[in-house]
Amino acid sequence: MYGDLKILTGTANPQLALDICDHLGCALTPALCETFSDGELRVEIGASVRGHDVFVIQPTCAPTNKNLMQLCLMLDALKRASAGRITAVIPYYGYARQDRKVSPRAPISAKMVADFLSMAGAQRIVTVDLHAGQIQGFFNCPVDNLFASPVLLEYVRHLRGDLVMVSPDAGGVERTRAFAKKMDAGLAIIDKRRDRPNQATAMNVIGDVAGKVAVLVDDMIDTAGTICAAAEVLLQNGASEVRACATHAVLSGPACQRLTDSPFNEIVVTDTIPLGEHAGLCDKLRVASVAGILAKSIRNIHDGSSVSALFG
């Protein structure tokens, strides 16, 4: 058995960590996270963690490299402070889209990041909606890949009208099918051709969307080019209105402007990534919290009970 449950956070998403602590009924363990004038990071754990069961909440969202390095330094500090077990809770796993070689001399960055985290001291990983499920195999320690679908489905259940769940590309069909099955709704797929990274052209719709409320389901919204083009095509094919739900609000580049100009009635995302300055740039965005899901998972891991049983 490990010692007391301890929750720490870096600077990537402290509000999510506080919300998780509220669900668990505990306080954050203090940790100093600063940046020196030359850009180097400084980390120091502010209380004893010897023998304790420690969970570090830190998504590796933008600025990705800083947040990743901060997480690794925290893990190393905990390892050197003789923590009983160290679990990295990474609600958004950066570099997940670089999960295979796409050219002869390219790295597999998602695997390299996994090695970083393991070498730094992570003995277990908890994450939410990995872009590619096989990334779990990049680690030599247990990985709990949780799903945000319970909180996103709560939003979908309140929608009125004849619903159809829509995948914006072929890669997301399995995720969208699961939504459709739980909602007893139809399923449609956007046939998409990608010309170059972060740019996509939606060509046509496979499935019946005419006269229906189309809900696009995706794991993340980055530049929003794909999902906005998909919304236009759905309306052209007769959808009565279009909505969207996605786990990770990356929202880089022109994303907020595109979403504002898009025909979406509403876009629901989770708080795996803090909206920050994006919160006031698009009034169509709504945020659902995954703090409850993460808190239950942390509690079950600490108690030694099943995590998957929470979402059966």
Side-chain angles (χ1 to χ4, degrees), residues 10-286:
T11 59
N13 196 345
Q15 186 58 53
L16 176 60
L18 288 170
D19 292 343
I20 290 170
C21 286
D22 285 343
H23 282 278
L24 292 170
C26 66
L28 273 175
T29 297
L32 175 68
C33 298
E34 293 182 338
T35 303
F36 289 110
S37 58
D38 65 351
E40 290 184 5
L41 302 179
R42 178 192 175 198
V43 165
E44 185 176 331
I45 309 304
S48 174
V49 293
R50 183 177 295 273
H52 293 307
D53 196 7
V54 184
F55 293 78
V56 184
I57 318 293
Q58 177 86 335
T60 51
C61 51
T64 305
N65 296 332
K66 175 185 176 181
N67 288 331
L68 173 60
M69 188 64 184
Q70 189 180 81
L71 173 59
C72 288
L73 292 177
M74 294 185 76
L75 296 173
D76 184 72
L78 291 166
K79 179 175 65 175
R80 296 175 188 278
S82 302
R85 179 174 60 181
I86 306 168
T87 300
V89 181
I90 312 172
Y92 171 73
Y93 186 85
Y95 287 99
R97 286 172 283 182
Q98 299 183 49
D99 62 319
R100 60 192 182 278
K101 289 185 68 172
V102 295
S103 61
R105 289 168 294 280
I108 303 178
S109 304
K111 166 60 176 168
M112 185 183 67
V113 169
D115 291 340
F116 278 174
L117 295 169
S118 297
M119 289 298 295
Q123 296 167 283
R124 189 181 190 111
I125 303 293
V126 177
T127 188
V128 180
D129 281 337
L130 277 173
H131 184 69
Q134 62 266 27
I135 293 174
Q136 295 172 85
F138 291 174
F139 291 88
N140 292 320
C141 66
V143 177
D144 294 299
N145 182 28
L146 309 179
F147 302 102
S149 54
V151 297
L152 294 175
L153 280 167
E154 282 302 309
Y155 155 74
V156 176
R157 287 192 179 99
H158 288 92
L159 297 179
R160 296 181 179 180
D162 190 5
L163 300 181
V164 57
M165 302 292 112
V166 184
S167 175
D169 53 37
V173 172
E174 184 178 353
R175 179 187 306 106
T176 309
R177 183 185 292 118
F179 270 69
K181 183 176 180 180
K182 289 181 180 179
M183 291 299 302
D184 193 24
L187 174 67
I189 305 166
I190 302 292
D191 174 33
K192 180 191 71 174
R193 296 181 186 178
R194 187 179 297 276
D195 298 326
R196 50 187 179 272
N198 289 331
Q199 292 193 15
T201 302
M203 302 300 292
N204 55 65
V205 179
I206 302 171
D208 180 21
V209 299
K212 299 182 180 181
V213 177
V215 182
L216 280 153
V217 180
D218 212 347
D219 66 322
M220 70 174 69
I221 301 175
D222 188 353
T223 62
T226 296
I227 206 164
C228 290
E232 296 286 354
V233 170
L234 289 169
L235 289 178
Q236 292 169 13
N237 280 263
S240 60
E241 61 181 75
V242 286
R243 296 173 179 266
C245 54
T247 304
H248 308 297
V250 179
L251 303 181
S252 63
C256 286
Q257 189 60 52
R258 284 175 172 171
L259 292 174
T260 299
D261 297 340
S262 73
F264 284 113
N265 292 66
E266 195 173 40
I267 305 110
V268 176
V269 296
T270 77
D271 55 354
T272 57
I273 298 173
L275 285 185
E277 63 182 17
H278 300 302
L281 297 179
C282 180
D283 59 6
K284 297 180 181 181
L285 284 172
R286 303 289 181 270

